[in-house]
Amino acid sequence: RQAKKVIGVQDDLKLTVNAIKVLEARYLLKDENGNVIETPRQMFERTARYLALVDIFYEDDIYDKEGKQKERKIDVEEKPEFLSIWEFNMLKRAFTYFSKEGYMKVDFSYVLDSLKSKWDKIERVKNKFAEVMLHRKYVPNSPTLMNANTKLGQLSACFVLPVPDSIEGIFNAVKYAAMIHKSGGGTGFSFSRLRPKGDIVASTMGVASGPLSFMRVFDVATDVIKQGGKRRGANMGVLSVHHPDILEFITSKDSENKVLSNFNISVAVTDEFMDALLRDDYYPLRNPRNGEEVKRIKARQVWDLIITQAWKTGDPGVIFIDEVNRKHPVKHLGEIESTNPCGEQPLLPYESCNLGSINLSLFVENGKIKWDDLRDTVHTAVHFMDNVIDANNYPLPQVAEMTRRSRKIGLGVMGWAEMLIKLGIPYDSEEAVELAEKVMKFINEESHRASMKLAEKRGVFPAWEGSEWWKKGMKIRNATTTTIAPTGTISIIAGTSSSIEPLFAIAFIRRVLDGQELLEVNPLFEEIMKREGLYSEELMHKVAETGSVQHIDDVPENIKRLFRTAHDIDPVWHVRMQAAFQKYVDNAVSKTVNLRHDASISDVEDTYILAWKLKCKGITIYRDGSKNVQVIYKGTKT
Ligand code: CDP
């Protein structure tokens, strides 16, 4: 899997070929002619240094935790030589905020002088941050790696924007989303506040066109922006199950014309709805403009449509919105209506969140989990991510304000499937589910501990009073600390399995641009088969035909048991695994329950109901081959 030499990029970290390709295309800095001007090591060091600089603000002689609203001078024009222009601007930006809020005892020039005199300390923090990234024990979300120490400086993956029921408000949201996509972030929206199709528009005496028609505007805008951005813009569209246009919403992606192709859609399902469903009863649809009940409809009718559409196309997913709000630690700031694009991060309107993930596959040695190392990595990650909040160049002032009030961060994991394999535990087993709880409980508790330690020095998050933490008398720096992201790209950079997902294929053929075909085998499988003297190219090609080893006689039973793919694993285990992690995650879990092509509509229903019963915050399924365009094909990848 190692890239010995890839043209244009010097690999100084022994990364995989795919990691190098991804980094070269979108992460490593380039000059005006598009030539790569840094190595992977330099990328991580640039990121580590940028975030370490923030620590200067928390030195005792500089930082005023009590925040007494003192105005401080920032009129320093000269950039010191040891800082890059983007580092200088970042520090200025952070200082402006800190001083406006009264957190500074000194002027900006003093901060710059201190940076020089206390450089050893900054350097130590930088090394700590760099160490975990260089070993890929911890990798921050893509925008942090892409944009640290650049003009853009936008470091977060997740945003939620409000969509108010007015033309001006809607088109502001379109504009804000475009600005966020440009910087590599993804946006989630609830369209539940928009009056339904056919409703009155007083100012023009006309009729409203409804949420679906406006969603198309967001979709087209996303398409246009992605040409220039670093990655494809992604959106989440949420509609309340009580909205009068809910049936149209549920079927909105079932079209030949690829409508809403830049959206994942989810129905926000309430307890009221689920109760009606279980009683086989009717429930109300309400016009959000005035709260009036428009009509009552059989819950079963809506549910069947959700399930059938999910079976056909993968959309919609479901968000159990009341469960999300029950667990929300800053209820006093408002109610959550939406998540980010992949569902793992519920956020208030204008909130953003930076994510990062620990590579669990690296925390196994001689069949044992390295708990101490894991603890240290969690603490470093929390420190790093808290700094991201201060260093971030927010795309909108409202986002800056909301994000700094709750200071949410989302530490997650990747390489879970590989950790299990290294421990010899099958993914679909009681033992694995128990271990999932144990590992995530540990990470969650340590991340809280780390955040509390930060609070001692840096103070609690500004909206702490009135929060659930405040009620428990616990002083913490971040309203939330954990989130399980899909780690779509950073798991490639780290060279491990994504998120908490099982392996997708044990071997597959990757089609490369020049028509060549490359065989790729999971390195753990390759290692075990070689150790057993069972490895052959021919056998691997056979595995690559379907990606699964379950039907291959030459693979011993015990190895088969360990190497079950996403499609070999019964959906019940997918959901149970998601629920096990959710139990110890402050935010939510992004998980796709992969179903085989021949799965039935009732399999989908069972999956959604089980997720609800096990207190997941949401659920998404994907039935193999159910969409024309599938992101990753079993057996072959391009
Ligand atoms: O691996 P990486 O950090 O790049 O991202 P991920 O864990 O796959 O996705 C985390 C979040 O990033 C998603 O839930 C989206 O909010 C955002 N994202 C996006 O906006 N656009 C993409 N093309 C991929 C991810």
Side-chain angles (χ1 to χ4, degrees):
R1 285 213 285 187
Q2 277 174 18
K4 297 255 159 29
K5 199 173 143 207
V6 177
I7 297 157
V9 179
Q10 185 203 338
D11 176 19
D12 46 5
L13 291 176
K14 297 206 168 61
L15 300 171
T16 66
V17 176
N18 293 327
I20 294 287
K21 275 197 204 149
V22 166
L23 290 177
E24 181 187 14
R26 292 182 289 135
Y27 291 70
L28 301 175
L29 296 186
K30 292 176 179 159
D31 64 17
E32 311 88 77
N33 303 322
N35 299 314
V36 172
I37 53 167
E38 66 178 355
T39 66
R41 174 183 288 277
Q42 285 165 340
M43 171 191 74
F44 286 126
E45 288 189 334
R46 152 172 66 81
T47 307
R49 184 181 136 121
Y50 193 68
L51 275 322
L53 289 173
V54 169
D55 263 47
I56 196 66
F57 292 116
Y58 297 110
E59 286 294 306
D60 288 339
D61 55 332
I62 292 174
Y63 189 61
D64 184 359
K65 189 163 66 173
E66 306 301 322
K68 296 201 183 68
Q69 302 291 339
K70 291 181 287 285
E71 280 289 336
R72 289 294 173 191
K73 280 220 315 257
I74 33 170
D75 52 357
V76 178
E77 294 302 330
E78 272 299 285
K79 172 185 84 60
E81 253 189 33
F82 70 103
L83 293 174
S84 77
I85 178 71
W86 312 125
E87 289 172 337
F88 179 66
N89 287 353
M90 179 273 279
L91 290 164
K92 220 169 171 177
R93 209 165 48 224
F95 180 85
T96 307
Y97 164 74
F98 281 129
S99 83
K100 204 173 88 237
E101 297 295 309
Y103 293 119
M104 285 292 113
K105 290 178 183 161
V106 298
D107 292 340
F108 189 49
S109 56
Y110 187 89
V111 174
L112 294 178
D113 286 345
S114 303
L115 256 183
K116 237 181 183 159
S117 60
K118 300 181 187 201
W119 190 253
D120 283 359
K121 267 191 172 172
I122 300 295
E123 184 91 13
R124 272 201 297 279
V125 176
K126 183 224 141 183
N127 289 341
K128 194 175 77 163
F129 290 168
E131 193 266 342
V132 289
M133 290 192 283
L134 289 171
H135 291 99
R136 271 88 67 211
K137 290 196 230 172
Y138 165 78
V139 185
N141 59 204
S142 293
T144 301
L145 294 173
M146 289 171 169
N147 300 334
N149 198 2
T150 69
K151 185 174 183 188
L152 218 42
Q154 198 294 105
L155 309 175
S156 287
C158 308
F159 298 79
V160 164
L161 293 171
V163 186
D165 187 30
S166 72
I167 292 296
E168 196 189 345
I170 293 166
F171 282 85
N172 271 337
V174 173
K175 170 181 160 187
Y176 297 160
M179 290 161 68
I180 290 168
H181 291 167
K182 193 175 83 170
S183 71
T187 42
F189 315 88
S190 162
F191 293 96
S192 306
R193 290 174 186 271
L194 300 190
R195 70 192 69 186
K197 192 173 178 169
D199 201 34
I200 46 168
V201 181
S203 57
T204 60
M205 301 303 284
V207 289
S209 50
L212 267 304
S213 56
F214 287 115
M215 282 176 74
R216 288 210 297 276
V217 177
F218 285 81
D219 192 52
V220 172
T222 306
D223 250 334
V224 177
I225 296 297
K226 79 181 171 204
Q227 323 284 344
K230 282 200 175 179
R231 59 179 178 172
R232 193 172 176 273
N235 299 300
M236 169 64 87
V238 175
L239 198 70
S240 166
V241 75
H242 297 282
H243 195 283
D245 293 354
I246 191 64
L247 297 177
E248 190 190 350
F249 178 79
I250 294 167
T251 52
S252 63
K253 291 199 64 175
D254 187 8
S255 160
E256 297 295 303
N257 312 326
K258 284 206 193 157
V259 285
L260 302 181
S261 59
N262 301 301
F263 268 95
N264 291 324
I265 62 167
S266 272
V267 178
V269 161
T270 57
D271 290 348
E272 185 184 2
F273 174 85
M274 289 307 282
D275 289 346
L277 178 67
L278 299 180
R279 284 186 280 109
D280 197 20
D281 207 347
Y282 289 78
Y283 81 101
L285 300 184
R286 303 187 189 99
N287 186 338
R289 184 169 51 79
N290 51 17
E292 273 170 25
E293 188 173 313
V294 176
K295 67 171 178 181
R296 294 180 81 78
I297 177 173
K298 251 311 181 37
R300 175 46 68 181
Q301 183 197 339
V302 174
W303 185 250
D304 282 348
L305 195 61
I306 291 175
I307 299 302
T308 311
Q309 285 305 314
W311 179 85
K312 271 169 90 175
T313 71
D315 276 303
V318 158
I319 299 175
F320 299 114
I321 199 72
D322 290 329
E323 179 66 10
V324 167
N325 278 301
R326 263 191 295 278
K327 300 278 168 67
H328 186 217
V330 284
K331 296 183 177 62
H332 61 309
L333 295 187
E335 212 171 290
I336 288 186
E337 296 173 43
S338 181
T339 68
N340 70 332
C342 304
E344 71 275 19
Q345 189 62 50
L347 291 171
L348 293 167
Y350 288 126
E351 253 187 331
S352 70
C353 186
N354 74 89
L355 311 176
S357 298
I358 289 184
N359 177 359
L360 289 175
S361 74
L362 295 178
F363 293 85
V364 182
E365 200 169 60
N366 302 324
K368 291 215 169 63
I369 295 178
K370 300 195 281 179
W371 296 104
D372 289 341
D373 195 4
L374 185 56
R375 178 185 297 112
D376 290 346
T377 307
V378 170
H379 282 249
T380 301
V382 169
H383 181 182
F384 177 96
M385 293 166 84
D386 189 58
N387 285 14
V388 169
I389 297 171
D390 299 327
N392 204 353
N393 186 17
Y394 292 96
L396 296 167
Q398 300 95 307
V399 172
E401 195 194 322
M402 277 302 287
T403 306
R404 287 178 181 136
R405 277 170 86 183
S406 57
R407 300 189 70 89
K408 286 178 182 170
I409 57 172
L411 178 63
V413 299
M414 53 185 160
W416 168 239
E418 294 202 343
M419 173 182 243
L420 287 174
I421 293 168
K422 285 184 179 174
L423 292 168
I425 302 170
Y427 188 96
D428 48 345
S429 68
E430 292 295 339
E431 207 187 341
V433 171
E434 274 167 33
L435 187 67
E437 289 195 10
K438 188 175 170 189
V439 167
M440 202 56 221
K441 183 168 190 265
F442 180 86
I443 293 175
N444 203 38
E445 286 178 359
E446 286 304 330
S447 68
H448 291 163
R449 235 169 246 153
S451 179
M452 287 177 198
K453 219 171 78 194
L454 286 176
E456 284 170 23
K457 193 162 178 153
R458 305 179 170 192
V460 291
F461 61 91
W464 178 75
E465 217 174 295
S467 73
E468 301 306 299
W469 294 105
W470 171 79
K471 288 178 192 162
K472 287 187 260 178
M474 293 163 91
K475 296 197 164 187
I476 196 161
R477 180 74 176 152
N478 312 91
T480 68
T481 59
T482 44
T483 302
I484 309 277
T487 70
T489 326
I490 61 170
S491 65
I492 297 175
I493 294 171
T496 190
S497 58
S498 54
S499 188
I500 60 162
E501 300 291 353
L503 298 181
F504 198 78
I506 308 302
F508 60 89
I509 302 290
R510 186 184 293 276
R511 297 202 191 98
V512 281
L513 279 182
D514 51 9
Q516 253 186 315
E517 295 198 334
L518 284 178
L519 173 71
E520 275 191 41
V521 182
N522 175 274
L524 295 178
F525 184 71
E526 184 172 335
E527 189 188 315
I528 291 183
M529 290 296 279
K530 279 184 175 159
R531 198 167 65 215
E532 302 290 319
L534 295 168
Y535 185 90
S536 74
E537 284 265 322
E538 193 194 339
L539 183 61
M540 296 308 124
H541 275 282
K542 205 162 127 195
V543 175
E545 280 168 22
T546 64
S548 170
V549 296
Q550 298 309 313
H551 58 287
I552 296 187
D553 296 337
D554 299 333
V555 179
E557 281 308 316
N558 60 334
I559 298 180
K560 275 187 188 167
R561 183 72 188 93
L562 218 45
F563 286 89
R564 290 203 176 152
T565 63
H567 291 112
D568 298 327
I569 288 168
D570 192 280
V572 171
W573 290 105
H574 280 267
V575 181
R576 287 193 61 194
M577 194 59 85
Q578 179 180 335
F581 276 94
Q582 181 61 71
K583 209 167 154 186
Y584 297 103
V585 164
D586 289 346
N587 294 299
V589 178
S590 166
K591 170 100 185 64
T592 301
V593 176
N594 277 290
L595 303 177
R596 277 192 288 265
H597 184 71
D598 58 10
S600 66
I601 292 180
S602 83
D603 290 335
V604 177
E605 163 150 34
D606 293 348
T607 303
Y608 276 37
I609 293 285
L610 183 63
W612 152 254
K613 287 193 173 148
L614 296 181
K615 296 205 180 315
C616 292
K617 290 185 180 174
I619 183 81
T620 311
I621 61 116
Y622 184 73
R623 189 172 60 91
D624 192 31
S626 63
K627 262 185 217 165
N628 292 337
V629 192
Q630 193 175 333
V631 185
I632 318 168
Y633 284 96
K634 185 170 65 178
T636 53
K637 268 187 188 176
T638 44

